[in-house]
């Protein structure tokens, strides 16, 4: 058994042992850019550090390899021992110097061969996973203030937003120029380590197994994206209210390695109006009327968002009574073609008896049609 004293993979990437894949990936990208040989030409220490970071990420980014590493660490039992720095998931075994037979013992090869057992132990009995697709860009949110009338009728707003856009120098690839043959593996995509008579073929840490390398784009630092400000026009539909989300497709952050961008979401905050009180798609207003209009009934004009509208006040209306104007509210954002209602609360304005003639008429009204509005007030209070 061979025991390694090399640095722990989690410590190498600067993450905790319970770190999620997203955090591990971000840490790897940051360190890979920092120590990449193309950005540190001639620096052997950076090249060695880059190999260590690549090796750590190859293990921790794979669920099965990570589980084996968490359980066994760097101590792995195998004939002849494992060479230091070997990632079991990337190992291909060459048994040219050995003859292990087809199954051992009697039975004409009925059991599995040593080669099969060895490969299953280090690969978990399953083929290597296909590389994951580049991640799509993240979405953005911006909050804006709009007036009551802009919310009711809809509007177009010109906004300047900051977002990650595809690098025009490398077109989102993070690299520039023609691909060159990797000098670390001479274009094979693999490097070889030996231990005794066993040879271990490992994925090349510099080219990632492709056998080809490109120069990192110096405009975006290999990220494939750069931060830019962009001015766009956004259509705000009629009927939005405070907290509404307006989606603008494709105007979020650009995706990695040419993946599609995310979306932009505009969060609206509607300023209040001094007359119209909006509650959902309905509007509430307070309209004053005279004593005569309330007693005898009348037809009055009231403001609506469409202009003037005629309202019939029934005879004997009390102050505070609400009347409804159908479909005079705000257009519904969720139900296109529908509108809310407008509720008019009537407020009776009592005349001031500044003139003696007015006082006399009020006294005459009291004698002719006496009212007792508080007749059963105390009885109801005792109930």
């Amino acid at each position: 058994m061979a025991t390694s004293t090399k640095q722990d993979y989690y410590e190498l990437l600067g993450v905790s042992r319970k770190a999620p894949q997203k955090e591990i990936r971000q840490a790897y990208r940051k360190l890979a850019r920092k120590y990449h040989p193309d950005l540190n030409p001639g620096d052997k220490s950076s090249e060695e550090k880059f190999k260590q970071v690549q090796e750590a990420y190859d293990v921790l980014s794979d669920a099965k390899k990570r589980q084996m590493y968490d359980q066994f660490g760097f101590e792995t039992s195998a004939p002849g021992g494992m060479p230091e720095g070997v990632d079991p998931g990337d190992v291909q075994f060459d048994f040219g110097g050995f003859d292990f037979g087809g199954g051992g013992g009697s039975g004409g090869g009925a059991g599995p061969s040593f080669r099969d057992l060895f490969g299953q132990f280090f690969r978990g009995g399953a083929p290597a996973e296909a590389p994951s697709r580049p991640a799509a860009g993240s979405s953005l949110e911006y909050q804006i203030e709009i007036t009551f009338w802009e919310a009711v009728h809809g509007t177009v707003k010109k906004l300047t937003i900051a977002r990650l856009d595809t690098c025009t120098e490398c077109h989102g690839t993070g690299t520039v120029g023609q691909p060159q043959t990797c000098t670390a593996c001479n274009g094979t995509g693999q490097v070889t380590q030996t231990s005794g008579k066993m040879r271990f073929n490992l994925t090349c840490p510099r080219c990632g197994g492709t056998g080809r390398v490109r120069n990192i784009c110096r405009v975006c630092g290999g990220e494939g994206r750069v931060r830019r400000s962009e001015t766009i026009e956004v259509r705000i539909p009629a009927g939005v209210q405070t907290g509404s989300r307006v989606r603008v497709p494709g105007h979020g952050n650009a995706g990695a390695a040419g993946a599609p961008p995310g979306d932009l979401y505009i969060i609206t905050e509607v300023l209040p109006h001094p007359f119209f009180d909006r509650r959902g798609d309905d509007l509430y207003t307070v309209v004053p009327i005279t004593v005569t209009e309330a007693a005898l009934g009348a037809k009055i004009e009231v403001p609506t968002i469409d202009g003037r509208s005629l309202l019939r006040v029934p005879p004997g209306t009390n102050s505070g009574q609400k009347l409804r104007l159908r479909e005079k509210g705000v257009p519904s954002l969720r139900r296109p073609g529908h509108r809310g209602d407008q509720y008019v609360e009537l407020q009776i304005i009592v005349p001031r008896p500044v003139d003696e003639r007015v006082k006399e008429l009020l006294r005459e009204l009291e004698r002719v049609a006496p009212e007792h509005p508080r007749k059963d007030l105390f009885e109801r209070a005792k109930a």
Side-chain angles (χ1 to χ4, degrees):
M1 178 179 294
T3 303
S4 172
T5 58
K6 64 194 297 183
Q7 187 177 359
D8 177 74
Y9 285 154
Y10 292 100
E11 294 180 358
L12 193 61
L13 295 182
V15 298
S16 67
R17 301 189 74 85
K18 295 184 179 180
Q21 282 297 324
K22 182 178 180 181
E23 183 179 345
I24 291 175
R25 183 168 57 251
Q26 291 174 341
Y28 162 70
R29 289 178 177 175
K30 181 179 179 181
L31 293 173
R33 286 196 297 268
K34 180 178 180 181
Y35 295 112
H36 199 285
D38 292 340
L39 297 180
N40 301 274
D43 189 342
K44 294 296 182 181
S45 62
S46 293
E47 184 175 352
E48 182 62 28
K49 194 73 173 179
F50 177 79
K51 292 179 180 180
Q52 295 174 4
V53 169
Q54 179 71 45
E55 178 183 321
Y57 180 69
D58 285 344
V59 173
L60 300 186
S61 62
D62 185 282
K64 294 180 180 178
K65 298 177 189 176
R66 183 178 180 182
Q67 182 180 7
M68 178 178 286
Y69 174 74
D70 289 342
Q71 185 174 358
F72 299 106
F74 294 112
E75 297 186 2
T76 307
S77 298
M82 287 283 287
E84 181 177 338
V86 171
D87 175 2
D90 287 338
V91 176
Q92 296 179 3
F93 298 94
D94 186 345
F95 294 90
F98 292 85
D99 183 11
F100 293 105
S106 61
S113 68
F114 184 81
R115 184 191 305 268
D116 293 336
L117 293 175
F118 211 82
Q120 288 180 4
F121 178 77
F122 286 104
R123 291 190 178 273
E129 297 180 3
S132 59
R133 295 180 179 178
S138 58
S139 296
L140 297 175
E141 288 188 353
Y142 273 77
Q143 185 168 347
I144 64 170
E145 284 187 351
I146 59 176
T147 67
F148 170 82
W149 293 110
E150 288 175 331
V152 167
H153 298 304
T155 186
V156 175
K157 286 288 188 181
K158 184 175 290 188
L159 305 175
T160 300
I161 61 172
R163 57 186 289 265
L164 290 175
D165 198 7
T166 301
C167 177
T168 56
E169 183 70 18
C170 65
H171 306 290
T173 63
T175 59
V176 294
Q178 294 298 320
Q180 305 294 326
T181 300
C182 177
T183 57
C185 63
N186 294 322
T188 64
Q190 294 183 333
V191 293
T192 302
Q193 291 189 17
T194 60
S195 178
K197 293 184 178 181
M198 298 183 68
R199 293 189 294 275
F200 299 84
N201 295 325
L202 311 177
T203 300
C204 177
R206 185 178 186 190
C207 66
T210 63
R212 312 280 279 177
V213 293
R214 291 175 178 262
N215 294 324
I216 289 182
C217 176
R218 297 189 179 274
V219 175
C220 63
E223 176 69 19
R225 304 179 299 176
V226 292
R227 185 166 294 278
R228 290 196 180 99
S229 293
E230 179 183 13
T231 300
I232 60 174
E233 288 188 345
V234 179
R235 188 184 69 84
I236 306 298
V240 296
Q241 53 189 311
T242 296
S244 293
R245 289 161 57 92
V246 180
R247 177 173 172 261
V248 186
H251 282 274
N253 288 326
D263 298 328
L264 171 66
Y265 289 92
I266 304 300
I267 314 299
T268 56
E269 181 178 352
V270 182
L271 299 176
H273 191 273
F275 179 74
F276 294 102
D277 178 18
R278 181 177 177 181
R279 304 176 194 175
D281 293 334
D282 296 328
L283 295 174
Y284 288 79
T285 56
V286 178
V287 175
I289 60 175
T290 66
V291 172
T292 305
E293 289 172 333
L296 302 179
K299 291 182 179 180
I300 62 173
E301 287 186 331
V302 297
T304 70
I305 58 176
D306 300 320
R308 296 169 179 258
S309 185
L310 200 63
L311 176 68
R312 178 180 174 277
V313 179
T317 295
N318 291 318
S319 188
Q321 185 171 338
K322 292 184 178 67
L323 302 178
R324 180 170 66 171
L325 291 172
R326 294 182 181 275
E327 296 189 351
K328 289 296 183 180
V330 180
S332 177
L333 187 63
R334 296 184 178 181
R335 298 190 303 162
H338 293 77
R339 290 180 60 173
D341 300 325
Q342 179 176 337
Y343 292 88
V344 180
E345 179 181 336
L346 300 175
Q347 187 179 61
I348 300 175
I349 304 300
V350 179
R352 295 182 179 181
V354 294
D355 184 85
E356 191 61 33
R357 176 61 176 164
V358 174
K359 293 180 182 180
E360 185 59 34
L361 289 174
L362 291 175
R363 294 190 188 101
E364 181 66 20
L365 177 63
E366 178 66 20
R367 288 191 295 268
V368 173
E371 291 287 345
H372 302 284
R374 297 177 300 280
K375 180 180 180 181
D376 58 347
L377 183 64
F378 290 96
E379 284 73 11
R380 288 190 286 115
K382 293 178 181 180

